[in-house]
Amino acid sequence: QVQLEESGPGLMQPSETLSLTCTVSGFSLTSNGVGWVRQPLGKGLVWMGTIWAGGSTNYNSAVQSRLSISRDTSKSQVFLKMNSLQPEDTGTYYCASQPYGDYWGQGVMVTVSS
Amino acid sequence: DIQMTQTPSSMPASLGERVTISCRASQGISNYLNWYQQKPDGTIKPLIYYTSNLQSGVPSRFSGSGSGTDYSLTISSLEPEDFAMYYCQQYDSSPTFGAGTKLELK
């Protein structure tokens, strides 16, 4: 059974660096891509970036300068790091298999507020 | 970036009704199109990949079609659990989502 689970801090201060982890099971990171998707409160879904099976990455141009996605295949974990947080980064962050989106985590809520 | 225009933004419908949600891409996306359902608790359920392929466990009342720039999701006969938000997503290039369609009980 494939599972993806996001974890990370719920509350961040502006200008801080966000670190999120996506832990996967029943699913090989060397055979599948994993992406991060953000959903601002009450709004739609926005793709942020993907790390592919071979380890290469692609990022949404809107956040590319602040975002880094990496992984630890031995721990079956994918990481998101985004610096210079602003209140508009508030939302629910999901990890999901790519490119078919056939598996999603439950999401983790992140609030950026002073 | 490829823009996805999803219509309608909301749709009142009745149990048993047949409904269709549309997505139009700003350029051709070669059938690289997924559909998702999101419930109010935030849970996202994949429905269809590559335009018309049902994800595992998805009921056959869901179907997808399209080509070029125009794609659609059809639910042949609405069940109570189908009232939710629906999103399309292209992955021909950097993925982008449609703005969503809220399917509401009439």
Side-chain angles (χ1 to χ4, degrees):
Chain A
Q1 182 183 0
V2 175
Q3 286 188 309
L4 285 75
E5 183 174 4
E6 306 90 347
S7 59
L11 181 62
M12 302 290 295
Q13 303 262 5
S15 80
E16 288 188 327
T17 296
L18 175 66
S19 293
L20 298 177
T21 300
C22 174
T23 302
V24 309
S25 58
F27 182 89
S28 170
L29 294 180
T30 57
S31 300
N32 300 276
V34 171
W36 288 93
V37 174
R38 177 169 72 187
Q39 185 171 38
L41 213 57
K43 297 189 176 181
L45 302 169
V46 178
W47 171 79
M48 300 189 70
T50 297
I51 185 162
W52 298 102
S56 63
T57 52
N58 291 106
Y59 300 113
N60 185 322
S61 57
V63 294
Q64 184 170 5
S65 63
R66 302 192 290 133
L67 181 64
S68 174
I69 297 175
S70 60
R71 69 184 185 183
D72 184 334
T73 56
S74 67
K75 295 182 178 179
S76 295
Q77 292 179 324
V78 175
F79 309 106
L80 174 149
K81 287 191 189 308
M82 189 163 65
N83 59 31
S84 305
L85 285 180
Q86 295 301 315
E88 50 266 33
D89 294 314
T90 293
T92 300
Y93 288 72
Y94 297 91
C95 58
S97 60
Q98 299 287 302
Y100 301 120
D102 38 355
Y103 302 104
W104 287 68
Q106 287 294 105
V108 59
M109 179 67 194
V110 175
T111 302
V112 182
S113 174
S114 54
Chain B
D1 289 356
I2 297 175
Q3 308 303 315
M4 300 300 294
T5 301
Q6 187 172 340
T7 56
S9 57
S10 66
M11 177 186 288
S14 303
L15 290 171
E17 188 173 341
R18 178 186 179 93
V19 298
T20 296
I21 298 168
S22 298
C23 264
R24 172 167 288 176
S26 56
Q27 64 189 68
I29 55 172
S30 303
N31 292 99
Y32 294 117
L33 192 284
N34 297 333
W35 290 96
Y36 304 98
Q37 177 193 71
Q38 185 176 36
K39 291 293 182 74
D41 69 354
T43 301
I44 295 174
K45 179 182 180 179
L47 297 174
I48 287 171
Y49 66 97
Y50 196 57
T51 296
S52 58
N53 296 275
L54 240 56
Q55 292 280 5
S56 176
V58 174
S60 59
R61 64 180 180 273
F62 290 90
S63 63
S65 64
S67 64
T69 60
D70 294 321
Y71 299 83
S72 61
L73 171 72
T74 296
I75 310 173
S76 60
S77 179
L78 283 171
E79 297 284 338
E81 61 268 29
D82 298 338
F83 293 94
M85 284 291 292
Y86 291 85
Y87 293 94
C88 63
Q89 178 223 339
Q90 67 80 21
Y91 57 103
D92 181 62
S93 62
S94 292
T96 47
F97 291 86
T101 295
K102 186 173 185 179
L103 188 53
E104 302 172 297
L105 186 58
K106 188 185 293 182

